[in-house]
Amino acid sequence: MSTTPQEDADRIRLKRLAKLQGAASSSTTPAASTSASPAPSPTPPPPKPKAAPTPPQVVQKRPAPTESVVPAPSPVPLKKKTQAVAGPVPLDLPAWEDETISDVFNVTLQKEVAERTRYEVVWLKPLAEELQGEGLSLRLNSDVADRTLIARLELDPQAMSDDLEYLPVLASLPSQQTVFEYLVKCWKRLNAVKSALLKKNYVPLEQQRAMDVLDKLRDLVVSYTGLTLQDPAMFPQPSGKILGPAEVVPSLMSLSTMSGPYLATSSSQALLDASEIEVFLQDLVKRFNSDNDIDDILGPVVEQLCFHPSVELGFVDDGWRNVVSGLEALVTIKPIAAMITRLPRWNPADLAAPQFERGSLLGPLLKLGVFEREWPSIAKTYFSNHQTRPQGEMSSATASLRGTLKTLQSSLFQIFNSLVRASAESREAVLQYFARAVNINRKRAGMQVDPATVSSDCFMMNLQIILLMFSEPFMDATYSKMDRIDPAYYARSMRIDLNDETRINATNEEAEQWRKQQTPATAPPNFITEIFYLALAASHIGQQKIVNVLEDLGRQYDEIRRHVELLEGDQSWRGTPFQARTEMAINTAKSQQDSLAAAMRAYEAQLGEPELIFRTISFVNFVSTWVIRFVDPRKQHPNPPIDLPLPHEVPTAFRVLPEYVIEDVIEYQLYIIRYSPNSLELSGKNEMLLWCLTFLTSTWYIKNPFLKAKIVEVLFYGIWNWAEHRSVLTTLLNTHPVALKHLMPALMNFYIEVEQTGASSQFYDKFNSRRNIAHIFKVIWNNQAHRDALKNEAAHNSERFVRFVNLMINDVTYLLDESLTDLAKIHELQTEMRDRQAFEAQTPQYRREREGLLRQLERHTSTYVQLGSNTVDLLKIFTGETKSPFMVPEIVDRLAAMLDYNLDALVGPRCQDLLVSNPEKYKFNPKQLLSDLLQVYLNLSDQGEFAQAVAADERSYRKELFEQAAGIARRKMLKSSDEIEKLALFVLKVEETKATLQAEDDLGEIPDEFLDPLMYTLMRDPVTLPSSRAVLDRSTIKSHLLSDAKDPFNRMPLKLEDVVPNVELKQRIDAFMSERRNKNTALDKPVEEVVNMDELHE
């Protein structure tokens, strides 16, 4: 060596002094050690009970050192009394101190001792010579312990020496032992000695002095352990070995109880077992926690653990379990947990969303999961070949993956929970981490999102689950902690970024104005409030968007399935030059179909996990109840329940809430009731029903019409029975008092409201909502309470009910016309293609065009047919229950014209055009449709106004149609004999009424000023419109206003009460009618010439 040991010792001490930054004087220099008093010693004892469980295991492994410390039995004869329990014995402290330091450091100052152990005990010859030169004894003691340890650490087995006497010492040194490994063994031996000392019955004062020596040795060992972790090059190290923080990682990763390649490696490299690691970490913390020195020592350890390569393998290997177990061990010690949140990579501010999950400290663990987009190997390994793989194997794979996910997410929650509880600062750091993860991923809320610009689905899913776990303590069944959530959080905290966020019923400018008006907070928001709002935000960009991915995969799967069915169904390509190419296309499509099925299974493994469903339902129930209490004037819902409908004035605090607060409740309710309705059996049904009724009875609280339509959709799916699912809301809709009172009027009101949504697609959007409403009406119709609610609505809100009926007639008119027209086109195409020889003679382009047109018609015809049939059915049950609303002038004529036109289509000359192949494919049941139309006639047959309206229908009414319909109904047993007789009497009445109307219509030339400008009929009650000054018949404008509340001539807003009766014009029309009445009318003809109903009775 080029320098003397003394020079090396001085160099080391100076370097160490700089690193310790004024550490305790007991471990700095030999001089300081000599002059140090035992005053600092009383500080360490408090943690001793924690270390107590460890020594027995250590002693068991290394009994020799323990036994060597025991003094000779010579003191026993000194006892003068023989007692059952021996009294304290004296301790030869200098001898014990020499032996203990030698045993702990595995060193000696005497050559003969080293020779007896074949140099397993290291002879510190340079230190011995140095001490002799200073006139000191060669007995080791605490005063020279620092110099002793440095002398041992400075030894380099690779070094050369001219001292032949010292060569055996260097040659016997473990050539591949790192400084950290040596110090850990010293620490273990120290624990063994302490355990043995505590078991001995020494004089208390002497035992305490011995403990003080051990504390000083522990301080030295732990100090140099921390220093070598910071700067591995401080002392000689073997080449080719991993040094520094990486040496701690295997011990931490060996704590997992699972097996795997990485665990086997970690276990073989572990220096500390499960019983030792916590005590070791506590010793490091106790020594270096002041001034956050622990950050530089264990911070790199945490980073190397979190970014361990095994995490990148995901669930393919169990290495991630080792990392999680190591982290769990670290965070159980509060100072380390607090330290983790101080590290620069805990929440790096300069990373975008995609890099955040890879660059933040816990990001690699949070992005673990099973979703196909991030972990394609999971779907391929567990769920490929879905059509041939046994179902039991698939179910077992799903259960296994769910178990793995639960383990991961539970461990991650425990880690975050420990961080939150470590200190106020670490709790704030965790909240900042959650908020940053949410804010930088706001793009995920968009309709079209590039996955490369946001964090992964797995990352967001795990983050949301952790927040749901944090929410569980305040989501009790009685909602006792709900009022601790600050409703003005968005005004008092800027943690969650709401810039450009759509509000429930306000603009961003209104929201900002409201925020400025709120009283500033006197204290930070409580933890419950923070977690609640963070969980809301995470849900919006997490699970809700992942469900969209799953549904999109389902749509792709269905499209490919239909494509395969089309190719396999059309066998014309076989035996042609296109056969090979077509077979390849089919195989490719099936491969894509299998990949999509596997991906869907992987998504369902997480989204369908029972505990996740339970947690999310609980959270959604809590949020829905919180929102209803928010708008409850009494602020007490659900105890007592809210009164409906809500006040007309919407609270500003509610209007400015982010729209996703209510959107996510609706979306998840829709998801769970479609995919896992049985999950609602335990809880969630009542909350779901009250939520739907609250905002259906008070639709003005929500601005977005599509959200309101989805509320109806939730009720629609709630009453469906399909496959293994049974309806979960039907019983509740027929028994819950709020539903019995409010459901019927709420649905009728929304039927009207959905007519105009403001969207460009509003004309088609309304049919989906009205289809759902019609089905709900049918399901609840047998309940007399709901029928009474309908009658009450017709009696006390007649204007709204008439408007509802008018829109229903509009729908039937359009839908049946479209569907019957399309069926006629399909009939034409099928007839053409049935003549294969003639069709094959056409050009290929012509055939492709006709086949494409047929497929296009088939796609949407079934929808129109079903919607039209459902609306006719609704019309049937309503006319059977209440009739007067259908008899108002603005309704009855249009109703009669619609019925007559469709009766003509079903039984008139055009009915042959509706004979299509496989009518069930298009949901077309002509017999049922005819029966429903006839039933409407029968329901209204005793109404004179209806008979007059049918008689006045010159376009479609003919008594021959009823004769034909009656014959079909009799043959197909659609109606009973009594019903057919009743229909015959109605037709007779219509014919008599028609004769009367013909007499009134025989007026000769009618002046144009007497004709309605829109209907071209004689006005009976002319009125003048206030803004356009146009003159119309009152019934015409009233009918128009039922669908469109604007002047038809200038599009200005208009109400019926604003029109002005044109008295002068009415007097002139009445005079004209009186002059022309009873002049050559049909009433002068014999009755048998007016109507002959004999055919109807045949």
Side-chain angles (χ1 to χ4, degrees):
M1 298 177 63
S2 59
T3 59
T4 66
Q6 183 62 43
E7 291 173 341
D8 288 339
D10 293 338
R11 175 178 56 79
I12 295 299
R13 292 189 191 99
L14 291 174
K15 190 170 185 180
R16 179 169 164 271
L17 279 172
K19 287 188 173 290
L20 286 177
Q21 296 182 342
S25 59
S26 61
S27 60
T28 52
T29 64
S33 298
T34 305
S35 61
S37 67
S41 301
T43 306
K48 284 178 186 176
K50 279 191 159 186
T54 305
Q57 299 181 20
V58 180
V59 172
Q60 188 176 7
K61 292 180 180 179
R62 296 178 56 86
T66 304
E67 294 174 1
S68 65
V69 177
V70 179
S74 57
V76 176
L78 297 177
K79 296 181 180 179
K80 298 180 179 180
K81 294 182 180 181
T82 304
Q83 300 177 352
V85 179
V89 296
L91 172 65
D92 184 355
L93 189 61
W96 175 89
E97 196 171 0
D98 176 53
E99 186 175 0
T100 296
I101 295 175
S102 175
D103 180 56
V104 170
F105 292 160
N106 194 34
V107 297
T108 183
L109 297 177
Q110 300 173 15
K111 179 180 179 182
E112 57 273 18
V113 174
E115 288 176 338
R116 283 201 302 269
T117 61
R118 296 182 180 180
Y119 292 99
E120 286 186 9
V121 177
V122 178
W123 175 35
L124 300 180
K125 178 182 178 182
L127 178 60
E129 293 174 348
E130 186 179 326
L131 293 176
Q132 285 180 328
E134 297 174 9
L136 299 177
S137 169
L138 292 184
R139 175 174 279 192
L140 293 171
N141 58 64
S142 59
D143 292 337
V144 296
D146 189 8
R147 297 171 66 183
T148 303
L149 183 55
I150 289 178
R152 171 60 183 87
L153 294 176
E154 287 177 333
L155 294 179
D156 183 0
Q158 306 299 325
M160 301 298 294
S161 175
D162 295 333
D163 188 349
L164 297 179
E165 187 182 32
Y166 202 54
L167 283 177
V169 175
L170 297 177
S172 300
L173 292 174
S175 60
Q176 291 300 306
Q177 185 182 63
T178 67
V179 173
F180 178 75
E181 291 171 345
Y182 166 75
L183 290 171
V184 168
K185 290 184 177 181
C186 291
W187 180 84
K188 289 184 176 183
R189 291 192 289 264
L190 184 63
N191 289 334
V193 172
K194 180 178 178 180
S195 176
L197 178 64
L198 290 173
K199 292 179 180 179
K200 298 299 181 181
N201 190 21
Y202 291 127
V203 175
L205 181 60
E206 294 176 351
Q207 189 178 50
Q208 180 58 47
R209 289 175 179 172
M211 290 295 295
D212 292 343
V213 172
L214 293 181
D215 289 340
K216 183 175 290 188
L217 294 180
R218 183 179 301 276
D219 188 54
L220 283 172
V221 170
V222 173
S223 295
Y224 281 106
T225 300
L227 290 174
T228 194
L229 288 175
Q230 285 181 269
D231 185 6
M234 176 178 288
F235 297 104
Q237 299 274 22
S239 59
K241 291 205 68 174
I242 297 176
L243 304 174
E247 295 183 79
V248 185
V249 173
S251 298
L252 291 169
M253 292 186 64
S254 68
L255 301 178
S256 174
T257 58
M258 302 298 291
S259 61
Y262 273 101
L263 179 58
T265 303
S266 300
S267 299
S268 64
Q269 298 175 354
L271 301 175
L272 299 158
D273 60 31
S275 64
E276 299 167 331
I277 188 68
E278 182 177 354
V279 182
F280 177 77
L281 293 172
Q282 287 173 342
D283 283 349
L284 279 174
V285 168
K286 188 192 328 181
R287 175 64 187 83
F288 291 100
N289 196 38
S290 60
D291 299 325
N292 297 335
D293 290 340
I294 195 69
D295 296 24
D296 296 329
I297 295 172
L298 289 182
V301 174
V302 173
E303 288 196 11
Q304 292 198 28
L305 183 66
C306 290
F307 295 104
H308 195 273
S310 62
V311 180
E312 294 299 322
L313 298 178
F315 293 162
V316 174
D317 182 82
D318 284 328
W320 65 270
R321 296 181 187 270
N322 310 334
V323 174
V324 168
S325 298
L327 270 178
E328 288 178 314
L330 287 168
V331 299
T332 55
I333 303 172
K334 285 190 175 182
I336 297 180
M339 173 212 72
I340 289 175
T341 60
R342 294 193 300 266
L343 296 177
R345 298 190 72 174
W346 163 252
N347 186 9
D350 56 343
L351 295 183
Q355 290 76 40
F356 186 75
E357 67 180 41
R358 296 191 291 270
S360 63
L361 209 54
L362 295 182
L365 289 173
L366 283 168
K367 73 183 183 70
L368 291 174
V370 297
F371 296 146
E372 189 268 346
R373 183 181 291 172
E374 294 89 43
W375 303 98
S377 61
I378 295 289
K380 184 176 181 180
T381 301
Y382 290 93
F383 302 119
S384 59
N385 303 319
H386 71 290
Q387 292 182 335
T388 57
R389 180 174 287 191
Q391 185 62 34
E393 184 179 335
M394 304 273 274
S395 299
S396 176
T398 300
S400 175
L401 288 173
R402 286 176 175 173
T404 302
L405 286 167
K406 286 168 59 178
T407 300
L408 169 69
Q409 291 152 2
S410 177
S411 296
L412 286 174
F413 169 71
Q414 293 302 329
I415 291 169
F416 275 100
N417 193 34
S418 297
L419 298 178
V420 165
R421 296 175 182 274
S423 68
E425 293 76 15
S426 62
R427 183 179 71 177
E428 174 62 21
V430 170
L431 292 174
Q432 289 177 358
Y433 182 85
F434 288 152
R436 176 159 172 75
V438 168
N439 291 333
I440 63 177
N441 279 290
R442 291 180 64 204
K443 286 183 180 179
R444 287 179 57 91
M447 295 294 292
Q448 300 292 332
V449 183
D450 181 1
T453 63
V454 294
S455 296
S456 66
D457 289 342
C458 292
F459 178 86
M460 296 309 306
M461 185 78 262
N462 289 327
L463 192 74
Q464 180 184 342
I465 290 173
I466 291 169
L467 286 167
L468 290 177
M469 290 182 175
F470 272 118
S471 302
E472 285 180 345
F474 61 79
M475 295 193 305
D476 59 297
T478 60
Y479 306 107
S480 61
K481 299 179 182 179
M482 182 173 286
D483 289 336
R484 295 184 62 185
I485 297 173
D486 184 2
Y489 174 80
Y490 291 121
R492 296 169 180 164
S493 173
M494 304 300 289
R495 192 184 300 278
I496 299 175
D497 185 5
L498 294 181
N499 288 331
D500 300 324
E501 192 68 57
T502 303
R503 309 299 174 128
I504 291 178
N505 204 347
T507 64
N508 282 316
E509 291 73 18
E510 291 173 324
E512 179 62 20
Q513 184 179 3
W514 169 82
R515 187 186 68 80
K516 292 178 179 178
Q517 293 172 351
Q518 300 308 299
T519 305
T522 57
N526 59 58
F527 188 68
I528 289 178
T529 296
E530 296 274 18
I531 289 297
F532 175 73
Y533 286 99
L534 283 168
L536 283 175
S539 174
H540 183 55
I541 60 176
Q543 187 173 11
Q544 298 304 133
K545 301 307 170 185
I546 298 170
V547 167
N548 294 345
V549 174
L550 174 60
E551 292 179 341
D552 184 57
L553 290 173
R555 283 189 291 269
Q556 293 179 46
Y557 181 89
D558 289 339
E559 288 176 4
I560 293 178
R561 177 181 54 78
R562 286 193 296 268
H563 180 61
V564 171
E565 290 176 354
L566 178 65
L567 291 176
E568 291 182 333
D570 180 13
Q571 298 294 312
S572 61
W573 46 268
R574 292 195 178 277
T576 70
F578 301 104
Q579 178 171 342
R581 188 170 65 181
T582 304
E583 289 176 342
M584 182 180 295
I586 291 175
N587 292 334
T588 301
K590 286 184 175 181
S591 176
Q592 293 174 345
Q593 191 176 1
D594 184 69
S595 297
L596 288 169
M600 291 167 62
R601 284 271 194 168
Y603 273 90
E604 289 166 357
Q606 172 66 89
L607 295 175
E609 197 275 309
E611 283 192 19
L612 172 61
I613 290 176
F614 176 77
R615 284 194 181 99
T616 312
I617 289 176
S618 299
F619 184 72
V620 169
N621 290 345
F622 186 86
V623 175
S624 66
T625 305
W626 178 81
V627 170
I628 295 176
R629 182 179 292 189
F630 202 109
V631 296
D632 182 6
R634 295 178 304 207
K635 305 297 181 185
Q636 294 179 349
H637 178 81
N639 299 306
I642 193 170
D643 290 331
L644 299 177
L646 298 173
H648 189 73
E649 184 176 354
V650 185
T652 304
F654 174 78
R655 292 173 51 235
V656 301
L657 286 175
E659 189 179 73
Y660 65 69
V661 173
I662 60 171
E663 177 186 357
D664 292 346
V665 171
I666 298 168
E667 291 286 0
Y668 190 77
Q669 288 178 342
L670 193 56
Y671 165 74
I672 201 65
I673 210 164
R674 290 170 60 196
Y675 291 96
S676 185
N678 296 335
S679 303
L680 294 168
E681 290 297 335
L682 294 177
S683 68
K685 292 189 293 186
N686 280 301
E687 290 84 354
M688 181 180 291
L689 177 64
L690 287 173
W691 168 267
C692 293
L693 290 175
T694 296
F695 292 106
L696 281 180
T697 58
S698 309
T699 54
W700 57 90
Y701 271 65
I702 301 176
K703 184 178 181 180
N704 189 335
F706 300 105
L707 290 183
K708 291 182 277 190
K710 287 186 176 181
I711 294 177
V712 175
E713 198 172 353
V714 169
L715 295 177
F716 169 73
Y717 280 106
I719 59 176
W720 263 98
N721 289 295
W722 78 98
E724 72 276 11
H725 303 307
R726 63 186 185 89
S727 66
V728 294
L729 292 182
T730 301
T731 302
L732 208 55
L733 289 177
N734 283 307
T735 57
H736 199 288
V738 178
L740 295 177
K741 181 179 180 180
H742 295 290
L743 180 61
M744 185 67 75
L747 292 176
M748 285 194 295
N749 182 67
F750 189 69
Y751 195 103
I752 297 170
E753 185 177 325
V754 79
E755 177 71 17
Q756 293 183 339
T757 63
S760 58
S761 58
Q762 67 179 12
F763 181 78
Y764 300 99
D765 294 336
K766 66 183 179 183
F767 292 124
N768 289 327
S769 294
R770 288 174 177 171
R771 174 203 61 188
N772 298 338
I773 292 173
H775 185 75
I776 297 170
F777 278 144
K778 288 173 61 177
V779 170
I780 65 175
W781 189 248
N782 290 331
N783 189 320
Q784 187 59 45
H786 286 303
R787 293 190 181 190
D788 293 340
L790 173 72
K791 292 179 181 178
N792 181 70
E793 191 71 10
H796 296 91
N797 294 289
S798 58
E799 184 176 347
R800 183 167 66 177
F801 192 83
V802 167
R803 188 175 182 188
F804 165 70
V805 170
N806 176 71
L807 293 173
M808 192 162 46
I809 294 173
N810 287 349
D811 290 349
V812 173
T813 302
Y814 173 78
L815 292 169
L816 287 186
D817 184 59
E818 286 291 312
S819 57
L820 297 181
T821 301
D822 286 349
L823 286 169
K825 293 179 181 177
I826 292 174
H827 167 76
E828 178 187 349
L829 290 169
Q830 289 178 343
T831 302
E832 179 183 2
M833 294 178 183
R834 197 173 293 121
D835 186 353
R836 297 299 302 174
Q837 184 175 359
F839 188 69
E840 293 294 338
Q842 300 291 340
T843 64
Q845 181 177 355
Y846 176 83
R847 294 199 304 270
R848 284 195 298 270
E849 290 176 355
R850 301 297 279 177
E851 290 169 349
L853 178 59
L854 178 61
R855 287 193 295 270
Q856 180 182 354
L857 289 169
E858 289 178 339
R859 278 196 295 269
H860 67 260
T861 298
S862 60
T863 302
Y864 281 155
V865 170
Q866 192 172 19
L867 287 172
S869 300
N870 288 343
T871 313
V872 171
D873 185 52
L874 194 63
L875 191 63
K876 176 188 70 175
I877 62 176
F878 277 22
T879 54
E881 191 66 28
T882 180
K883 301 174 183 180
S884 57
F886 294 90
M887 295 302 103
V888 296
E890 57 270 26
I891 294 296
V892 66
D893 291 336
R894 299 179 58 248
L895 174 61
M898 181 274 294
L899 292 170
D900 294 342
Y901 178 81
N902 288 293
L903 186 65
D904 182 24
L906 288 175
V907 302
R910 296 180 296 160
C911 68
Q912 296 300 317
D913 295 339
L914 304 180
L915 298 177
V916 296
S917 301
N918 192 14
E920 297 81 7
K921 180 178 181 180
Y922 312 107
K923 308 294 192 299
F924 182 48
N925 187 343
K927 292 188 292 185
Q928 185 61 49
L929 182 57
L930 175 60
S931 177
D932 289 346
L933 288 175
L934 292 178
Q935 191 60 49
V936 176
Y937 282 111
L938 292 172
N939 291 342
L940 301 176
S941 61
D942 58 350
Q943 303 294 307
E945 297 93 333
F946 182 60
Q948 292 178 13
V950 173
D953 179 20
E954 297 182 351
R955 183 184 69 164
S956 302
Y957 171 75
R958 297 191 311 278
K959 68 182 180 68
E960 292 79 11
L961 295 176
F962 286 87
E963 295 168 355
Q964 180 69 17
I968 295 173
R970 182 183 294 111
R971 290 194 304 272
K972 302 296 184 181
M973 293 186 293
L974 303 180
K975 298 297 176 187
S976 66
S977 299
D978 290 343
E979 288 176 321
I980 293 176
E981 178 66 22
K982 185 178 179 180
L983 185 64
L985 294 174
F986 170 70
V987 176
L988 180 60
K989 181 180 179 181
V990 170
E991 287 296 318
E992 292 174 348
T993 305
K994 183 179 179 182
T996 304
L997 291 174
Q998 287 175 346
E1000 291 181 356
D1001 288 342
D1002 190 13
L1003 296 174
E1005 199 69 32
I1006 301 176
D1008 289 343
E1009 60 179 324
F1010 294 173
L1011 295 175
D1012 185 285
L1014 294 181
M1015 304 303 294
Y1016 298 101
T1017 57
L1018 181 67
M1019 291 187 288
R1020 304 299 179 91
D1021 185 7
V1023 295
T1024 303
L1025 306 188
S1027 59
S1028 65
R1029 308 306 300 171
V1031 178
L1032 287 83
D1033 192 64
R1034 181 180 294 274
S1035 64
T1036 301
I1037 190 60
K1038 187 174 183 181
S1039 177
H1040 170 79
L1041 292 177
L1042 290 174
S1043 301
D1044 188 357
K1046 293 180 181 179
D1047 188 314
F1049 296 95
N1050 60 11
R1051 308 301 297 161
M1052 295 295 291
L1054 178 64
K1055 295 181 180 179
L1056 185 62
E1057 54 264 31
D1058 294 337
V1059 302
V1060 180
N1062 195 324
V1063 179
E1064 186 271 334
L1065 181 58
K1066 178 174 173 52
Q1067 291 173 349
R1068 292 166 55 198
I1069 293 174
D1070 290 344
F1072 175 79
M1073 289 287 292
S1074 63
E1075 291 176 2
R1076 306 291 294 176
R1077 193 177 299 277
N1078 299 324
K1079 293 183 178 180
N1080 194 27
T1081 66
L1083 294 177
D1084 298 327
K1085 299 178 181 179
V1087 174
E1088 60 271 14
E1089 293 185 19
V1090 176
V1091 58
N1092 184 356
M1093 301 298 294
D1094 292 340
E1095 294 183 25
L1096 190 62
H1097 300 286
E1098 291 181 356

